Short mmCIF file of all heavy atoms in Angstrom, two decimals:
data_model
loop_
_atom_site.label_atom_id
_atom_site.label_comp_id
_atom_site.label_asym_id
_atom_site.label_seq_id
_atom_site.Cartn_x
_atom_site.Cartn_y
_atom_site.Cartn_z
N MET A 1 -11.55 3.49 -12.10
CA MET A 1 -10.38 3.54 -11.21
C MET A 1 -10.23 4.93 -10.61
O MET A 1 -10.35 5.93 -11.31
CB MET A 1 -9.12 3.17 -12.01
CG MET A 1 -7.92 2.92 -11.11
SD MET A 1 -6.43 2.59 -12.05
CE MET A 1 -6.67 0.88 -12.46
N LYS A 2 -9.95 4.95 -9.32
CA LYS A 2 -9.76 6.24 -8.63
C LYS A 2 -8.32 6.73 -8.83
O LYS A 2 -7.40 5.95 -9.02
CB LYS A 2 -10.02 6.07 -7.13
CG LYS A 2 -11.46 5.78 -6.78
CD LYS A 2 -12.20 7.07 -6.49
CE LYS A 2 -13.56 6.80 -5.84
NZ LYS A 2 -14.49 6.09 -6.73
N CYS A 3 -8.15 8.05 -8.75
CA CYS A 3 -6.82 8.63 -8.99
C CYS A 3 -5.77 8.05 -8.04
O CYS A 3 -4.65 7.81 -8.44
CB CYS A 3 -6.88 10.14 -8.81
SG CYS A 3 -7.84 10.94 -10.10
N GLY A 4 -6.13 7.84 -6.78
CA GLY A 4 -5.16 7.35 -5.81
C GLY A 4 -4.62 5.98 -6.21
O GLY A 4 -3.42 5.75 -6.19
N ARG A 5 -5.53 5.10 -6.61
CA ARG A 5 -5.09 3.77 -7.04
C ARG A 5 -4.26 3.86 -8.30
O ARG A 5 -3.27 3.16 -8.48
CB ARG A 5 -6.32 2.89 -7.30
CG ARG A 5 -6.85 2.26 -6.06
CD ARG A 5 -8.04 1.39 -6.39
NE ARG A 5 -7.65 0.20 -7.14
CZ ARG A 5 -8.53 -0.60 -7.77
NH1 ARG A 5 -9.81 -0.31 -7.74
NH2 ARG A 5 -8.13 -1.65 -8.41
N PHE A 6 -4.67 4.73 -9.17
CA PHE A 6 -3.96 4.95 -10.41
C PHE A 6 -2.52 5.39 -10.15
O PHE A 6 -1.57 4.87 -10.73
CB PHE A 6 -4.72 6.03 -11.21
CG PHE A 6 -3.94 6.64 -12.33
CD1 PHE A 6 -3.83 5.99 -13.54
CD2 PHE A 6 -3.34 7.86 -12.16
CE1 PHE A 6 -3.10 6.55 -14.57
CE2 PHE A 6 -2.62 8.43 -13.19
CZ PHE A 6 -2.50 7.77 -14.39
N LEU A 7 -2.36 6.35 -9.25
CA LEU A 7 -1.02 6.88 -8.98
C LEU A 7 -0.11 5.82 -8.37
O LEU A 7 1.09 5.81 -8.62
CB LEU A 7 -1.12 8.10 -8.05
CG LEU A 7 -1.76 9.32 -8.71
CD1 LEU A 7 -2.01 10.41 -7.68
CD2 LEU A 7 -0.91 9.86 -9.85
N LYS A 8 -0.71 4.92 -7.57
CA LYS A 8 0.10 3.85 -6.98
C LYS A 8 0.67 2.93 -8.05
O LYS A 8 1.74 2.37 -7.92
CB LYS A 8 -0.75 3.04 -6.00
CG LYS A 8 -0.49 3.42 -4.56
CD LYS A 8 -1.25 2.49 -3.64
CE LYS A 8 -2.18 3.31 -2.74
NZ LYS A 8 -3.22 2.49 -2.12
N ARG A 9 -0.09 2.75 -9.11
CA ARG A 9 0.32 1.84 -10.19
C ARG A 9 1.22 2.52 -11.22
O ARG A 9 1.73 1.85 -12.12
CB ARG A 9 -0.92 1.34 -10.94
CG ARG A 9 -1.88 0.60 -10.07
CD ARG A 9 -1.45 -0.84 -9.96
NE ARG A 9 -2.53 -1.67 -9.46
CZ ARG A 9 -2.37 -2.97 -9.23
NH1 ARG A 9 -1.22 -3.54 -9.45
NH2 ARG A 9 -3.37 -3.68 -8.79
N LEU A 10 1.38 3.81 -11.10
CA LEU A 10 1.92 4.58 -12.21
C LEU A 10 3.36 4.21 -12.58
O LEU A 10 3.69 4.09 -13.76
CB LEU A 10 1.83 6.07 -11.88
CG LEU A 10 1.92 6.97 -13.09
CD1 LEU A 10 0.83 6.62 -14.10
CD2 LEU A 10 1.79 8.42 -12.68
N SER A 11 4.22 4.01 -11.59
CA SER A 11 5.61 3.70 -11.94
C SER A 11 5.69 2.33 -12.61
O SER A 11 6.48 2.15 -13.53
CB SER A 11 6.50 3.76 -10.69
OG SER A 11 6.13 2.78 -9.77
N ASP A 12 4.86 1.39 -12.16
CA ASP A 12 4.82 0.09 -12.84
C ASP A 12 4.33 0.25 -14.26
O ASP A 12 4.83 -0.39 -15.18
CB ASP A 12 3.89 -0.87 -12.09
CG ASP A 12 4.44 -1.26 -10.74
OD1 ASP A 12 5.67 -1.19 -10.56
OD2 ASP A 12 3.64 -1.63 -9.87
N TYR A 13 3.32 1.10 -14.41
CA TYR A 13 2.75 1.34 -15.73
C TYR A 13 3.81 1.90 -16.68
O TYR A 13 3.94 1.48 -17.82
CB TYR A 13 1.59 2.33 -15.59
CG TYR A 13 1.05 2.88 -16.88
CD1 TYR A 13 0.23 2.11 -17.68
CD2 TYR A 13 1.35 4.17 -17.27
CE1 TYR A 13 -0.27 2.62 -18.87
CE2 TYR A 13 0.84 4.69 -18.44
CZ TYR A 13 0.03 3.91 -19.25
OH TYR A 13 -0.46 4.42 -20.41
N LEU A 14 4.62 2.83 -16.19
CA LEU A 14 5.64 3.44 -17.04
C LEU A 14 6.74 2.45 -17.37
O LEU A 14 7.37 2.54 -18.41
CB LEU A 14 6.24 4.67 -16.33
CG LEU A 14 5.28 5.86 -16.25
CD1 LEU A 14 5.88 6.95 -15.38
CD2 LEU A 14 4.96 6.41 -17.62
N ASP A 15 6.99 1.52 -16.49
CA ASP A 15 7.99 0.48 -16.76
C ASP A 15 7.42 -0.65 -17.61
O ASP A 15 8.11 -1.60 -17.92
CB ASP A 15 8.51 -0.11 -15.45
CG ASP A 15 9.41 0.86 -14.72
OD1 ASP A 15 9.96 1.76 -15.38
OD2 ASP A 15 9.56 0.73 -13.50
N ARG A 16 6.14 -0.57 -17.96
CA ARG A 16 5.47 -1.62 -18.74
C ARG A 16 5.55 -2.94 -17.99
O ARG A 16 5.77 -3.99 -18.59
CB ARG A 16 6.10 -1.75 -20.14
CG ARG A 16 5.95 -0.52 -20.98
CD ARG A 16 4.53 -0.39 -21.50
NE ARG A 16 4.26 0.98 -21.92
CZ ARG A 16 3.02 1.46 -22.05
NH1 ARG A 16 1.99 0.72 -21.81
NH2 ARG A 16 2.84 2.69 -22.43
N ASP A 17 5.46 -2.85 -16.68
CA ASP A 17 5.61 -4.03 -15.83
C ASP A 17 4.26 -4.56 -15.38
O ASP A 17 4.20 -5.47 -14.58
CB ASP A 17 6.41 -3.62 -14.59
CG ASP A 17 7.62 -4.51 -14.40
OD1 ASP A 17 7.90 -5.29 -15.31
OD2 ASP A 17 8.24 -4.42 -13.34
N LEU A 18 3.20 -3.98 -15.88
CA LEU A 18 1.87 -4.32 -15.38
C LEU A 18 1.16 -5.30 -16.28
O LEU A 18 1.47 -5.42 -17.46
CB LEU A 18 1.01 -3.06 -15.27
CG LEU A 18 1.18 -2.19 -14.03
CD1 LEU A 18 0.22 -1.03 -14.14
CD2 LEU A 18 0.89 -2.98 -12.78
N ASP A 19 0.20 -5.94 -15.68
CA ASP A 19 -0.76 -6.76 -16.40
C ASP A 19 -1.41 -5.93 -17.51
O ASP A 19 -1.81 -4.80 -17.26
CB ASP A 19 -1.81 -7.19 -15.38
CG ASP A 19 -2.58 -8.39 -15.82
OD1 ASP A 19 -3.44 -8.23 -16.70
OD2 ASP A 19 -2.28 -9.48 -15.29
N PRO A 20 -1.51 -6.46 -18.73
CA PRO A 20 -2.13 -5.69 -19.82
C PRO A 20 -3.54 -5.22 -19.47
O PRO A 20 -3.94 -4.13 -19.88
CB PRO A 20 -2.17 -6.67 -20.99
CG PRO A 20 -1.10 -7.65 -20.70
CD PRO A 20 -0.99 -7.75 -19.20
N ALA A 21 -4.27 -6.02 -18.71
CA ALA A 21 -5.63 -5.63 -18.33
C ALA A 21 -5.60 -4.38 -17.46
O ALA A 21 -6.42 -3.47 -17.63
CB ALA A 21 -6.31 -6.78 -17.59
N ILE A 22 -4.65 -4.32 -16.54
CA ILE A 22 -4.53 -3.15 -15.68
C ILE A 22 -4.07 -1.94 -16.49
O ILE A 22 -4.53 -0.82 -16.29
CB ILE A 22 -3.57 -3.46 -14.50
CG1 ILE A 22 -4.14 -4.60 -13.66
CG2 ILE A 22 -3.37 -2.23 -13.63
CD1 ILE A 22 -3.19 -5.15 -12.62
N CYS A 23 -3.15 -2.18 -17.43
CA CYS A 23 -2.71 -1.09 -18.31
C CYS A 23 -3.89 -0.48 -19.05
O CYS A 23 -3.95 0.74 -19.20
CB CYS A 23 -1.68 -1.60 -19.32
SG CYS A 23 -0.03 -1.73 -18.63
N ARG A 24 -4.82 -1.33 -19.48
CA ARG A 24 -5.99 -0.81 -20.19
C ARG A 24 -6.84 0.05 -19.26
O ARG A 24 -7.34 1.09 -19.67
CB ARG A 24 -6.82 -1.96 -20.76
CG ARG A 24 -6.33 -2.41 -22.13
CD ARG A 24 -7.39 -3.17 -22.87
NE ARG A 24 -7.73 -4.42 -22.19
CZ ARG A 24 -7.02 -5.54 -22.30
NH1 ARG A 24 -5.96 -5.59 -23.07
NH2 ARG A 24 -7.37 -6.63 -21.65
N HIS A 25 -6.97 -0.36 -18.01
CA HIS A 25 -7.71 0.45 -17.03
C HIS A 25 -7.04 1.81 -16.88
O HIS A 25 -7.69 2.85 -16.82
CB HIS A 25 -7.73 -0.24 -15.67
CG HIS A 25 -8.78 -1.30 -15.54
ND1 HIS A 25 -10.11 -1.03 -15.66
CD2 HIS A 25 -8.66 -2.63 -15.31
CE1 HIS A 25 -10.78 -2.17 -15.50
NE2 HIS A 25 -9.93 -3.15 -15.31
N ILE A 26 -5.71 1.77 -16.79
CA ILE A 26 -4.96 3.02 -16.60
C ILE A 26 -5.10 3.91 -17.83
O ILE A 26 -5.33 5.11 -17.70
CB ILE A 26 -3.49 2.70 -16.27
CG1 ILE A 26 -3.41 2.06 -14.88
CG2 ILE A 26 -2.64 3.96 -16.34
CD1 ILE A 26 -2.02 1.66 -14.46
N ASP A 27 -4.96 3.31 -19.01
CA ASP A 27 -5.14 4.10 -20.23
C ASP A 27 -6.52 4.76 -20.26
O ASP A 27 -6.64 5.94 -20.60
CB ASP A 27 -4.99 3.20 -21.46
CG ASP A 27 -3.53 2.87 -21.75
OD1 ASP A 27 -2.67 3.69 -21.37
OD2 ASP A 27 -3.27 1.83 -22.35
N ALA A 28 -7.53 4.00 -19.88
CA ALA A 28 -8.89 4.54 -19.87
C ALA A 28 -9.00 5.67 -18.85
O ALA A 28 -9.64 6.69 -19.13
CB ALA A 28 -9.88 3.43 -19.54
N HIS A 29 -8.36 5.50 -17.71
CA HIS A 29 -8.42 6.54 -16.69
C HIS A 29 -7.74 7.81 -17.19
O HIS A 29 -8.27 8.90 -17.03
CB HIS A 29 -7.75 6.06 -15.40
CG HIS A 29 -7.77 7.10 -14.32
ND1 HIS A 29 -8.82 7.24 -13.44
CD2 HIS A 29 -6.90 8.10 -14.02
CE1 HIS A 29 -8.58 8.26 -12.64
NE2 HIS A 29 -7.42 8.79 -12.96
N ILE A 30 -6.57 7.67 -17.80
CA ILE A 30 -5.84 8.84 -18.29
C ILE A 30 -6.70 9.62 -19.28
O ILE A 30 -6.73 10.85 -19.26
CB ILE A 30 -4.52 8.40 -18.94
CG1 ILE A 30 -3.56 7.85 -17.89
CG2 ILE A 30 -3.85 9.59 -19.64
CD1 ILE A 30 -2.35 7.16 -18.48
N LYS A 31 -7.38 8.86 -20.16
CA LYS A 31 -8.19 9.54 -21.18
C LYS A 31 -9.33 10.34 -20.59
O LYS A 31 -9.75 11.34 -21.17
CB LYS A 31 -8.74 8.50 -22.16
CG LYS A 31 -7.77 8.24 -23.28
CD LYS A 31 -8.28 7.15 -24.21
CE LYS A 31 -7.11 6.49 -24.92
NZ LYS A 31 -7.40 5.09 -25.25
N SER A 32 -9.82 9.90 -19.44
CA SER A 32 -10.98 10.58 -18.85
C SER A 32 -10.61 11.50 -17.70
O SER A 32 -11.47 12.11 -17.10
CB SER A 32 -12.00 9.54 -18.38
OG SER A 32 -11.42 8.74 -17.38
N CYS A 33 -9.33 11.61 -17.38
CA CYS A 33 -8.93 12.38 -16.20
C CYS A 33 -7.76 13.29 -16.58
O CYS A 33 -6.63 12.84 -16.70
CB CYS A 33 -8.54 11.43 -15.07
SG CYS A 33 -8.11 12.27 -13.56
N LYS A 34 -8.06 14.55 -16.78
CA LYS A 34 -7.03 15.48 -17.26
C LYS A 34 -5.85 15.67 -16.29
O LYS A 34 -4.71 15.70 -16.74
CB LYS A 34 -7.67 16.84 -17.58
CG LYS A 34 -8.18 16.86 -19.01
CD LYS A 34 -8.58 18.26 -19.41
CE LYS A 34 -9.19 18.19 -20.83
NZ LYS A 34 -9.99 19.38 -21.10
N PRO A 35 -6.09 15.82 -14.99
CA PRO A 35 -4.92 15.96 -14.08
C PRO A 35 -3.97 14.78 -14.17
O PRO A 35 -2.76 14.96 -14.19
CB PRO A 35 -5.56 16.07 -12.70
CG PRO A 35 -6.95 16.49 -12.94
CD PRO A 35 -7.35 15.93 -14.27
N CYS A 36 -4.53 13.56 -14.26
CA CYS A 36 -3.67 12.38 -14.36
C CYS A 36 -2.95 12.34 -15.70
O CYS A 36 -1.79 11.93 -15.77
CB CYS A 36 -4.49 11.11 -14.15
SG CYS A 36 -4.92 10.88 -12.41
N LEU A 37 -3.61 12.75 -16.75
CA LEU A 37 -2.97 12.78 -18.07
C LEU A 37 -1.77 13.73 -18.04
O LEU A 37 -0.68 13.37 -18.51
CB LEU A 37 -3.97 13.24 -19.12
CG LEU A 37 -3.39 13.45 -20.52
CD1 LEU A 37 -2.86 12.14 -21.09
CD2 LEU A 37 -4.44 14.04 -21.46
N ALA A 38 -1.96 14.91 -17.48
CA ALA A 38 -0.87 15.87 -17.39
C ALA A 38 0.27 15.31 -16.55
O ALA A 38 1.44 15.44 -16.89
CB ALA A 38 -1.37 17.17 -16.77
N PHE A 39 -0.11 14.63 -15.47
CA PHE A 39 0.90 14.05 -14.59
C PHE A 39 1.72 12.98 -15.32
O PHE A 39 2.95 12.94 -15.24
CB PHE A 39 0.20 13.46 -13.36
CG PHE A 39 1.15 12.96 -12.31
CD1 PHE A 39 1.90 13.86 -11.57
CD2 PHE A 39 1.31 11.61 -12.08
CE1 PHE A 39 2.78 13.41 -10.60
CE2 PHE A 39 2.18 11.15 -11.12
CZ PHE A 39 2.92 12.05 -10.38
N VAL A 40 1.02 12.12 -16.04
CA VAL A 40 1.69 11.05 -16.78
C VAL A 40 2.64 11.64 -17.82
O VAL A 40 3.77 11.17 -17.97
CB VAL A 40 0.66 10.11 -17.45
CG1 VAL A 40 1.33 9.23 -18.47
CG2 VAL A 40 -0.02 9.26 -16.39
N ASN A 41 2.18 12.66 -18.53
CA ASN A 41 3.03 13.25 -19.56
C ASN A 41 4.31 13.84 -18.96
O ASN A 41 5.39 13.67 -19.51
CB ASN A 41 2.26 14.33 -20.31
CG ASN A 41 1.29 13.71 -21.30
OD1 ASN A 41 1.45 12.56 -21.71
ND2 ASN A 41 0.27 14.46 -21.65
N THR A 42 4.17 14.52 -17.82
CA THR A 42 5.35 15.07 -17.15
C THR A 42 6.29 13.95 -16.72
O THR A 42 7.50 14.02 -16.93
CB THR A 42 4.91 15.88 -15.92
OG1 THR A 42 3.91 16.79 -16.32
CG2 THR A 42 6.08 16.63 -15.31
N LEU A 43 5.69 12.93 -16.15
CA LEU A 43 6.50 11.82 -15.65
C LEU A 43 7.21 11.09 -16.79
O LEU A 43 8.38 10.74 -16.69
CB LEU A 43 5.60 10.85 -14.89
CG LEU A 43 6.28 10.04 -13.80
CD1 LEU A 43 6.82 10.95 -12.72
CD2 LEU A 43 5.31 9.05 -13.20
N LYS A 44 6.50 10.88 -17.88
CA LYS A 44 7.11 10.22 -19.03
C LYS A 44 8.30 11.00 -19.55
O LYS A 44 9.32 10.43 -19.92
CB LYS A 44 6.09 10.07 -20.16
CG LYS A 44 5.24 8.82 -20.03
CD LYS A 44 4.34 8.68 -21.23
CE LYS A 44 3.47 7.43 -21.10
NZ LYS A 44 2.42 7.40 -22.11
N LYS A 45 8.15 12.33 -19.58
CA LYS A 45 9.25 13.17 -20.04
C LYS A 45 10.45 13.03 -19.11
O LYS A 45 11.58 12.89 -19.55
CB LYS A 45 8.78 14.63 -20.07
CG LYS A 45 8.93 15.27 -21.44
CD LYS A 45 8.48 16.71 -21.41
CE LYS A 45 7.01 16.84 -21.76
NZ LYS A 45 6.51 18.21 -21.58
N THR A 46 10.17 13.06 -17.81
CA THR A 46 11.25 12.94 -16.83
C THR A 46 11.94 11.59 -16.96
O THR A 46 13.17 11.51 -16.98
CB THR A 46 10.67 13.07 -15.41
OG1 THR A 46 9.86 14.24 -15.37
CG2 THR A 46 11.78 13.19 -14.38
N VAL A 47 11.16 10.54 -17.04
CA VAL A 47 11.73 9.19 -17.17
C VAL A 47 12.56 9.10 -18.45
O VAL A 47 13.66 8.56 -18.46
CB VAL A 47 10.62 8.13 -17.16
CG1 VAL A 47 11.17 6.77 -17.56
CG2 VAL A 47 10.00 8.04 -15.77
N GLY A 48 12.06 9.66 -19.54
CA GLY A 48 12.79 9.63 -20.80
C GLY A 48 14.12 10.34 -20.70
O GLY A 48 15.13 9.86 -21.19
N VAL A 49 14.13 11.48 -20.03
CA VAL A 49 15.37 12.24 -19.87
C VAL A 49 16.36 11.43 -19.06
O VAL A 49 17.54 11.33 -19.41
CB VAL A 49 15.08 13.59 -19.17
CG1 VAL A 49 16.37 14.24 -18.71
CG2 VAL A 49 14.35 14.51 -20.13
N LEU A 50 15.89 10.81 -17.99
CA LEU A 50 16.79 10.02 -17.15
C LEU A 50 17.37 8.84 -17.91
O LEU A 50 18.53 8.51 -17.75
CB LEU A 50 16.04 9.50 -15.92
CG LEU A 50 15.69 10.55 -14.87
CD1 LEU A 50 14.86 9.92 -13.76
CD2 LEU A 50 16.94 11.17 -14.28
N ARG A 51 16.55 8.22 -18.76
CA ARG A 51 17.02 7.04 -19.48
C ARG A 51 18.01 7.40 -20.58
O ARG A 51 18.78 6.57 -21.01
CB ARG A 51 15.84 6.28 -20.08
CG ARG A 51 15.13 5.52 -18.99
CD ARG A 51 14.15 4.54 -19.52
NE ARG A 51 13.50 3.89 -18.36
CZ ARG A 51 12.26 3.46 -18.36
NH1 ARG A 51 11.51 3.59 -19.41
NH2 ARG A 51 11.75 2.90 -17.30
N ARG A 52 17.97 8.66 -21.04
CA ARG A 52 18.92 9.07 -22.08
C ARG A 52 20.27 9.46 -21.52
O ARG A 52 21.21 9.64 -22.27
CB ARG A 52 18.33 10.23 -22.89
CG ARG A 52 17.43 9.75 -24.04
CD ARG A 52 17.22 10.85 -25.06
NE ARG A 52 16.58 12.01 -24.46
CZ ARG A 52 15.26 12.14 -24.30
NH1 ARG A 52 14.46 11.21 -24.69
NH2 ARG A 52 14.76 13.22 -23.76
N GLN A 53 20.35 9.63 -20.20
CA GLN A 53 21.63 10.02 -19.60
C GLN A 53 22.66 8.92 -19.83
O GLN A 53 22.37 7.75 -19.58
CB GLN A 53 21.46 10.22 -18.08
CG GLN A 53 20.61 11.41 -17.70
CD GLN A 53 21.26 12.73 -18.01
OE1 GLN A 53 22.46 12.90 -17.83
NE2 GLN A 53 20.48 13.67 -18.50
N PRO A 54 23.85 9.26 -20.28
CA PRO A 54 24.87 8.23 -20.43
C PRO A 54 25.33 7.73 -19.08
O PRO A 54 25.12 8.38 -18.06
CB PRO A 54 26.00 8.97 -21.14
CG PRO A 54 25.79 10.40 -20.84
CD PRO A 54 24.31 10.59 -20.62
N ARG A 55 25.91 6.57 -19.05
CA ARG A 55 26.45 6.03 -17.81
C ARG A 55 27.57 6.94 -17.33
O ARG A 55 28.19 7.67 -18.10
CB ARG A 55 26.99 4.63 -18.03
CG ARG A 55 25.96 3.67 -18.52
CD ARG A 55 25.39 2.85 -17.35
NE ARG A 55 24.28 2.01 -17.79
CZ ARG A 55 23.08 2.00 -17.20
NH1 ARG A 55 22.83 2.82 -16.21
NH2 ARG A 55 22.14 1.20 -17.61
N ALA A 56 27.86 6.85 -16.03
CA ALA A 56 28.88 7.72 -15.45
C ALA A 56 30.28 7.36 -15.94
O ALA A 56 31.21 8.14 -15.82
CB ALA A 56 28.82 7.64 -13.93
N VAL A 57 30.43 6.16 -16.50
CA VAL A 57 31.74 5.72 -16.98
C VAL A 57 32.06 6.47 -18.28
O VAL A 57 31.25 6.49 -19.19
CB VAL A 57 31.73 4.21 -17.26
CG1 VAL A 57 33.09 3.74 -17.76
CG2 VAL A 57 31.33 3.45 -16.01
N PRO A 58 33.24 7.08 -18.40
CA PRO A 58 33.58 7.79 -19.63
C PRO A 58 33.71 6.82 -20.80
O PRO A 58 34.14 5.68 -20.61
CB PRO A 58 34.94 8.44 -19.33
CG PRO A 58 35.16 8.30 -17.88
CD PRO A 58 34.30 7.17 -17.39
N SER A 59 33.35 7.25 -21.98
CA SER A 59 33.44 6.39 -23.14
C SER A 59 34.90 6.18 -23.54
O SER A 59 35.79 6.91 -23.11
CB SER A 59 32.68 7.01 -24.31
OG SER A 59 33.35 8.17 -24.73
N ALA A 60 35.15 5.18 -24.38
CA ALA A 60 36.52 4.86 -24.80
C ALA A 60 37.14 6.05 -25.54
O ALA A 60 38.31 6.37 -25.33
CB ALA A 60 36.51 3.62 -25.68
N SER A 61 36.35 6.70 -26.39
CA SER A 61 36.93 7.82 -27.15
C SER A 61 37.28 8.98 -26.23
O SER A 61 38.30 9.64 -26.41
CB SER A 61 35.95 8.27 -28.23
OG SER A 61 34.81 8.85 -27.65
N LEU A 62 36.43 9.21 -25.22
CA LEU A 62 36.73 10.29 -24.28
C LEU A 62 38.00 9.97 -23.51
O LEU A 62 38.86 10.84 -23.31
CB LEU A 62 35.55 10.47 -23.32
CG LEU A 62 35.74 11.54 -22.24
CD1 LEU A 62 35.93 12.91 -22.87
CD2 LEU A 62 34.57 11.56 -21.29
N ARG A 63 38.15 8.71 -23.09
CA ARG A 63 39.33 8.33 -22.33
C ARG A 63 40.60 8.48 -23.18
O ARG A 63 41.62 8.97 -22.70
CB ARG A 63 39.21 6.89 -21.83
CG ARG A 63 38.61 6.84 -20.43
CD ARG A 63 38.48 5.41 -19.98
NE ARG A 63 37.42 4.75 -20.73
CZ ARG A 63 37.27 3.43 -20.80
NH1 ARG A 63 38.11 2.64 -20.21
NH2 ARG A 63 36.28 2.91 -21.49
N SER A 64 40.56 8.09 -24.45
CA SER A 64 41.76 8.21 -25.28
C SER A 64 42.07 9.68 -25.56
O SER A 64 43.23 10.08 -25.63
CB SER A 64 41.59 7.43 -26.59
OG SER A 64 40.63 8.06 -27.41
N ARG A 65 41.00 10.50 -25.69
CA ARG A 65 41.26 11.93 -25.88
C ARG A 65 41.92 12.54 -24.65
O ARG A 65 42.85 13.33 -24.74
CB ARG A 65 39.93 12.66 -26.17
CG ARG A 65 39.83 13.14 -27.60
CD ARG A 65 38.58 13.96 -27.80
NE ARG A 65 37.37 13.16 -27.63
CZ ARG A 65 36.20 13.64 -27.24
NH1 ARG A 65 36.07 14.91 -26.97
NH2 ARG A 65 35.16 12.86 -27.12
N LEU A 66 41.43 12.14 -23.47
CA LEU A 66 42.02 12.62 -22.24
C LEU A 66 43.47 12.20 -22.12
O LEU A 66 44.36 12.97 -21.75
CB LEU A 66 41.25 12.07 -21.03
CG LEU A 66 40.00 12.85 -20.63
CD1 LEU A 66 39.25 12.09 -19.55
CD2 LEU A 66 40.37 14.23 -20.12
N ARG A 67 43.74 10.92 -22.51
CA ARG A 67 45.09 10.39 -22.40
C ARG A 67 46.03 11.15 -23.34
O ARG A 67 47.13 11.53 -22.94
CB ARG A 67 45.09 8.89 -22.75
CG ARG A 67 46.06 8.11 -21.89
CD ARG A 67 45.96 6.62 -22.20
NE ARG A 67 44.66 6.06 -21.86
CZ ARG A 67 43.99 5.19 -22.64
NH1 ARG A 67 44.50 4.78 -23.77
NH2 ARG A 67 42.83 4.73 -22.25
N SER A 68 45.60 11.38 -24.57
CA SER A 68 46.48 12.08 -25.50
C SER A 68 46.69 13.53 -25.05
O SER A 68 47.77 14.10 -25.24
CB SER A 68 45.92 12.03 -26.92
OG SER A 68 44.70 12.71 -26.98
N ARG A 69 45.66 14.13 -24.46
CA ARG A 69 45.83 15.49 -23.98
C ARG A 69 46.83 15.53 -22.82
O ARG A 69 47.68 16.39 -22.74
CB ARG A 69 44.48 16.04 -23.52
CG ARG A 69 44.55 17.50 -23.10
CD ARG A 69 43.20 18.07 -22.78
NE ARG A 69 42.32 18.07 -23.94
CZ ARG A 69 41.08 18.53 -23.93
NH1 ARG A 69 40.57 19.02 -22.82
NH2 ARG A 69 40.33 18.52 -25.01
N LEU A 70 46.75 14.52 -21.95
CA LEU A 70 47.66 14.47 -20.81
C LEU A 70 49.09 14.24 -21.26
O LEU A 70 50.03 14.86 -20.77
CB LEU A 70 47.24 13.36 -19.85
CG LEU A 70 45.98 13.67 -19.01
CD1 LEU A 70 45.55 12.43 -18.25
CD2 LEU A 70 46.21 14.83 -18.06
N SER A 71 49.28 13.33 -22.24
CA SER A 71 50.64 13.04 -22.69
C SER A 71 51.19 14.20 -23.50
O SER A 71 52.38 14.48 -23.49
CB SER A 71 50.67 11.73 -23.49
OG SER A 71 49.80 11.85 -24.60
N GLY A 72 50.30 14.94 -24.23
CA GLY A 72 50.75 16.09 -25.00
C GLY A 72 51.22 17.25 -24.11
O GLY A 72 52.05 18.04 -24.51
N ALA A 73 50.68 17.32 -22.89
CA ALA A 73 51.02 18.41 -21.99
C ALA A 73 52.39 18.23 -21.36
O ALA A 73 52.94 19.17 -20.81
CB ALA A 73 49.96 18.51 -20.88
N ARG A 74 52.92 16.99 -21.47
CA ARG A 74 54.20 16.76 -20.83
C ARG A 74 55.38 17.26 -21.62
O ARG A 74 55.36 17.28 -22.83
CB ARG A 74 54.38 15.25 -20.60
CG ARG A 74 54.28 14.94 -19.13
CD ARG A 74 54.47 13.46 -18.88
NE ARG A 74 53.23 12.90 -18.35
CZ ARG A 74 52.83 11.64 -18.57
NH1 ARG A 74 53.54 10.83 -19.30
NH2 ARG A 74 51.74 11.19 -18.03
ZN1 ZN B 101 -7.14 10.65 -12.24
#
């Protein structure tokens, strides 16, 4: 597999949305291609960080803390 084709498949690969056969091709490519391996590792880290971000909605405990702080200030 050429790097260009590999990169096109990469986001699908990270989402585990690909055919297992294609995933095996990509795994084999990563093992034999250092620039792509480095790229995948960076991307995986970025994706992991994004997935750990909490939703923009405040949690219930945060909301009750805010409410008690607001009522205490009155
Ligand atoms: Zn490559």
